[in-house]
């Protein structure tokens, strides 16, 4: 009799496990993604990107985490300067996103996934790439094209990044309200959830939503200027400024193009809000020597008068994008929620994803040149966008969790009825082991991105940098009336840069 009960219980349990594993790996269901990525991120911090790539867990095309693994590899290949490989990975992901956006296909393909997640956890669901990750995908793809001297390809990608943000702006609020209502229909109010779910207010800060990214708009403006499309550049610089209104790099670019394009209404408005050093005419770059090296002088940012011995020279722009740190991975937090099941109020333990509620502080980039100091300014905090996006997703996550708890309770009762105490014990053990939060996210992204912009005389310049306490020297070439784009990566003690003349 005991053996019979054991066989029945084991059969019922295995049926549930097989269903849960149909669209995801066995390891994904019982171990958190952040744990799987720890060795990858450790190698990334050391600057050993090839090792990091080799440590990214292998996924098949049918795996629900396949697209996320390609994002991780694409980012790491980019850092390793393998731009073509990075480009290939990102293109596959982009095509998958396009396919998933077709509602009919999403509903059909998710039938098995939804059944699987009901008896296991959210790791059984295909990973949907959130909007902020989509815009970063296109931004990195644009940089891949630039590093392969393809400005037109880069412009296509940056337009895609902007479309992502525009689409999110139209649909985000309605999606949040609908998910909150569905959660309320399951018997849990937003207020009740907020009272038990740990706060992420410190990491979210003043971010209004989880998708508006000033960096992608700024990069778009830079590329439009490089292509001679000043009107388009002006529009995107203004969008970036709306998100980061105190960034003086953005203020200067908006003010410069507003005057260049004759935007008189904007000029009057900006004149009231910008500081005097932004709106006053900037001193002309001078050069005291005809050599191409460090004798060229940077344009002063104050009102220091120029020597009458200097002469006017041609100039270009140096733009430095500073990527700092690595974004935190999601963690798992467990707590009890009061839920109405079969007309009874019972407390159930739930496991939910969360980000640590603190932001790392970065000194940023300090650039020294000919006795003057220049400092980078933050333009996006991806960690804050990620936390806000998770906060907005939480009602939908909790609603799925409630459905899952009901289903698991029904399975437990069935196993207890057919398998007796053994079935009950096995079911409870399975429920405990399978209660795992979905901690998947693009974990190799930078934490923070800052920008610095200078006007330099044409020629070659040797610049002394101090980024987050690490000193190094870089050499850049400035062309007349053109932009030189430097992307600088700073991860722990690792620093490196790439330079492209636009």
């Amino acid at each position: 009799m005991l053996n019979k009960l054991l066989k029945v219980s084991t059969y019922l349990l295995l049926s549930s496990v097989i269903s849960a594993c149909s669209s995801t790996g066995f390891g994904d269901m019982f171990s958190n993604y952040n744990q799987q990525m720890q060795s990858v991120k450790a190698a990334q911090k050391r600057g050993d990107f090839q090792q990091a790539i080799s440590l990214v867990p292998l996924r098949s095309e049918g795996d629900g985490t396949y697209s996320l693994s390609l994002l991780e590899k694409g980012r790491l290949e980019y850092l390793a300067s393998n731009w073509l490989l990075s480009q290939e990975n990102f293109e596959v992901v982009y095509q998958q996103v396009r396919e998933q956006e077709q509602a009919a296909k999403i509903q059909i393909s998710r039938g098995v996934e939804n059944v699987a997640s009901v008896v296991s956890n959210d790791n059984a669901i295909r990973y949907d790439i959130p909007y902020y990750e989509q815009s970063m995908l296109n931004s990195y793809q644009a940089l891949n094209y630039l590093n392969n001297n393809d400005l037109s390809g880069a412009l296509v990608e940056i337009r895609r990044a902007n479309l992502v943000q525009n689409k999110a702006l139209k649909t985000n609020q309605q999606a949040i309200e609908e998910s909150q209502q569905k959660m309320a229909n399951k018997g849990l109010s937003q207020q009740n959830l907020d009272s038990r779910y740990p706060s992420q207010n410190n990491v979210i800060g003043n971010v209004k939503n989880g998708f508006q990214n000033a960096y992608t708009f700024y990069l778009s403006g830079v590329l439009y200027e490089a292509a001679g499309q000043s009107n388009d550049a002006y529009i995107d610089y203004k969008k970036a400024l709306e998100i980061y209104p105190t960034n003086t790099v953005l203020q200067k670019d908006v003010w410069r193009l507003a005057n260049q394009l004759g935007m008189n209404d904007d000029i009057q408005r900006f004149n009231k809000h910008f500081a005097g050093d932004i709106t006053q005419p900037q001193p002309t770059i001078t050069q005291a020597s005809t050599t191409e090296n460090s004798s060229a002088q940077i344009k002063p940012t104050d009102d220091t008068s120029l020597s009458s011995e200097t002469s006017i020279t041609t100039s270009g722009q140096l733009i430095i994008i500073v990527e700092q740190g690595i974004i935190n991975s999601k963690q798992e937090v467990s707590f009890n929620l009061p839920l109405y099941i079969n007309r009874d109020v019972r407390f159930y333990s739930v496991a939910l994803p969360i980000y640590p509620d603190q932001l790392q502080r970065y000194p940023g980039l300090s650039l020294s040149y000919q006795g003057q100091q220049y400092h980078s300014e933050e333009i996006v905090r991806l960690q804050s966008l990620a936390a806000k996006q998770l906060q907005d997703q939480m009602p939908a996550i909790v609603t799925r969790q409630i459905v899952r708890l009901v289903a698991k309770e029904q399975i437990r009762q069935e196993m207890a009825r057919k398998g007796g105490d053994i079935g009950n014990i096995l079911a409870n053990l399975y429920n405990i082991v399978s209660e795992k939060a979905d901690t998947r996210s693009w974990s190799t992204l930078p934490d923070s991105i800052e920008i610095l912009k200078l006007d330099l005389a044409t020629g070659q310049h040797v610049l002394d940098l101090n980024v987050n306490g690490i000193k190094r020297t870089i050499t850049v070439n400035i062309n007349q009336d053109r932009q030189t784009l430097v992307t600088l990566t700073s991860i722990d003690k690792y620093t490196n840069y790439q330079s492209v003349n636009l």
Side-chain angles (χ1 to χ4, degrees), residues 38-52:
Q38 285 178 359
S39 60
V40 177
K41 298 181 76 168
Q44 184 185 8
K45 285 184 178 180
R46 297 192 303 269
D48 190 351
F49 303 124
Q50 292 301 332
Q51 175 71 5

Side-chain angles (χ1 to χ4, degrees), residues 281-386:
Q282 300 293 308
T284 306
I285 293 177
T286 62
Q287 183 172 318
S289 169
T290 58
T291 62
E292 291 186 346
N293 295 314
S294 60
S295 58
Q297 299 178 2
I298 292 178
K299 174 173 64 179
T301 58
D302 55 21
D303 294 329
T304 304
S305 60
L306 301 173
S307 169
S308 60
E309 298 178 359
T310 61
S311 58
I312 297 177
T313 185
T314 57
S315 65
Q317 295 176 324
L318 171 67
I319 302 166
I320 303 180
I321 295 171
V322 188
E323 297 186 340
Q324 302 185 105
I326 306 176
I327 197 169
N328 283 329
S329 297
K330 292 175 184 175
Q331 307 297 316
E332 180 176 294
V333 60
S334 298
F335 54 91
N336 293 325
L337 278 179
L339 301 176
Y340 290 89
I341 296 180
N342 297 327
R343 298 183 179 180
D344 293 326
V345 179
R346 298 177 60 181
F347 282 85
Y348 288 86
S349 177
V350 296
L352 297 174
I354 193 170
Y355 285 105
D357 193 30
Q358 58 184 5
L359 289 174
Q360 183 172 342
R361 300 301 173 187
Y362 300 98
L365 169 66
S366 175
L367 185 153
S368 300
Y369 190 69
Q370 296 196 352
Q372 297 190 66
Q373 293 284 330
Y374 305 87
H375 300 278
S376 60
E377 299 180 44
E378 187 173 84
I379 192 168
V380 69
R381 192 67 186 243
L382 290 174
Q383 187 68 72
S384 297
L385 292 185

Side-chain angles (χ1 to χ4, degrees), residues 30-76:
F30 294 107
S31 68
N32 286 330
Y33 182 79
N34 66 344
Q35 296 172 334
Q36 299 174 32
M37 288 295 293
Q38 285 178 359
S39 60
V40 177
K41 298 181 76 168
Q44 184 185 8
K45 285 184 178 180
R46 297 192 303 269
D48 190 351
F49 303 124
Q50 292 301 332
Q51 175 71 5
I53 293 167
S54 70
L55 292 171
V56 174
L58 296 175
R59 312 281 179 179
S60 64
E61 289 190 28
D63 193 298
T65 311
Y66 179 64
S67 61
L68 180 56
S69 70
L70 293 182
L71 287 179
E72 307 287 16
K73 290 180 179 179
R75 162 72 172 153
L76 294 168

Side-chain angles (χ1 to χ4, degrees), residues 1-154:
M1 181 64 179
L2 184 61
N3 289 335
K4 183 178 180 181
L5 291 175
L6 184 59
K7 289 180 180 179
V8 171
S9 301
T10 303
Y11 171 77
L12 291 171
L13 186 60
L14 286 176
S15 297
S16 299
V17 172
I18 292 171
S19 174
C21 292
S22 60
S23 60
T24 190
F26 186 83
D28 290 335
M29 192 174 69
F30 294 107
S31 68
N32 286 330
Y33 182 79
N34 66 344
Q35 296 172 334
Q36 299 174 32
M37 288 295 293
Q38 285 178 359
S39 60
V40 177
K41 298 181 76 168
Q44 184 185 8
K45 285 184 178 180
R46 297 192 303 269
D48 190 351
F49 303 124
Q50 292 301 332
Q51 175 71 5
I53 293 167
S54 70
L55 292 171
V56 174
L58 296 175
R59 312 281 179 179
S60 64
E61 289 190 28
D63 193 298
T65 311
Y66 179 64
S67 61
L68 180 56
S69 70
L70 293 182
L71 287 179
E72 307 287 16
K73 290 180 179 179
R75 162 72 172 153
L76 294 168
E77 295 284 10
Y78 168 81
L79 290 174
S81 300
N82 298 327
W83 299 305
L84 288 176
L85 289 176
S86 175
Q87 187 174 324
E88 290 174 5
N89 285 323
F90 286 145
E91 180 60 26
V92 173
V93 178
Y94 174 73
Q95 294 301 330
Q96 285 193 342
V97 170
R98 288 191 62 187
E99 293 175 4
Q100 292 165 10
E101 285 177 345
Q102 300 179 41
K105 290 186 178 181
I106 288 178
Q107 292 173 1
I108 293 172
S109 65
R110 289 218 156 177
V112 174
E113 294 176 14
N114 291 336
V115 172
S117 69
V118 165
V119 295
S120 58
N121 53 58
D122 270 6
N123 291 286
I125 301 175
R126 183 191 63 238
Y127 181 73
D128 275 342
I129 302 172
Y131 289 124
Y132 81 92
E133 291 183 357
Q134 290 184 40
S135 64
M136 288 305 298
L137 180 163
N138 296 124
S139 296
Y140 280 121
Q141 194 71 304
L143 293 174
N144 282 331
Y145 277 108
L146 286 182
N147 285 310
N148 287 303
N149 300 311
D150 186 351
L151 178 59
S152 61

Side-chain angles (χ1 to χ4, degrees), residues 149-364:
N149 300 311
D150 186 351
L151 178 59
S152 61
L155 286 170
V156 170
E157 292 299 327
I158 214 64
R159 291 189 188 101
R160 289 173 175 175
N162 292 344
L163 286 174
V164 167
Q165 297 197 61
N166 292 336
K167 178 175 60 180
L169 194 61
K170 295 177 181 178
T171 62
N172 183 64
Q173 189 57 41
Q174 181 180 352
I176 293 174
E177 292 173 357
E178 289 178 353
S179 63
Q180 288 176 341
Q181 184 59 51
K182 289 180 180 178
M183 183 177 68
N185 293 341
K186 295 295 181 181
L188 186 67
S189 68
Q190 184 67 47
Q191 183 179 7
N192 201 333
L193 174 61
D194 291 342
S195 68
R196 297 174 183 276
Y197 185 75
S199 172
Q200 295 183 111
N201 291 337
N202 290 330
V203 66
I204 292 174
N206 296 322
V207 170
K208 296 179 180 179
N209 55 58
F211 55 84
Q212 283 193 302
N213 187 337
Y215 164 66
T216 59
F217 284 127
Y218 178 72
L219 181 60
S220 175
V222 170
L223 298 187
Y224 279 133
E225 277 208 86
Q229 302 175 34
S230 297
N231 280 287
D232 292 326
Y234 181 63
I235 291 171
D236 284 349
Y237 283 150
K238 285 208 303 178
K239 289 179 180 178
L241 185 63
E242 289 176 3
I243 301 170
Y244 259 75
T246 60
N247 188 298
T248 62
V249 177
L250 296 175
Q251 291 177 1
K252 290 176 182 178
D253 278 328
V254 167
W255 179 256
R256 171 176 55 83
L257 284 183
N259 282 273
Q260 178 181 316
L261 298 171
M263 302 295 183
N264 295 326
D265 292 341
D266 284 351
I267 291 172
Q268 292 181 10
R269 179 164 55 90
F270 294 144
N271 198 36
K272 296 177 182 178
H273 294 92
F274 292 169
D277 61 339
I278 303 293
T279 59
Q280 295 301 315
Q282 300 293 308
T284 306
I285 293 177
T286 62
Q287 183 172 318
S289 169
T290 58
T291 62
E292 291 186 346
N293 295 314
S294 60
S295 58
Q297 299 178 2
I298 292 178
K299 174 173 64 179
T301 58
D302 55 21
D303 294 329
T304 304
S305 60
L306 301 173
S307 169
S308 60
E309 298 178 359
T310 61
S311 58
I312 297 177
T313 185
T314 57
S315 65
Q317 295 176 324
L318 171 67
I319 302 166
I320 303 180
I321 295 171
V322 188
E323 297 186 340
Q324 302 185 105
I326 306 176
I327 197 169
N328 283 329
S329 297
K330 292 175 184 175
Q331 307 297 316
E332 180 176 294
V333 60
S334 298
F335 54 91
N336 293 325
L337 278 179
L339 301 176
Y340 290 89
I341 296 180
N342 297 327
R343 298 183 179 180
D344 293 326
V345 179
R346 298 177 60 181
F347 282 85
Y348 288 86
S349 177
V350 296
L352 297 174
I354 193 170
Y355 285 105
D357 193 30
Q358 58 184 5
L359 289 174
Q360 183 172 342
R361 300 301 173 187
Y362 300 98

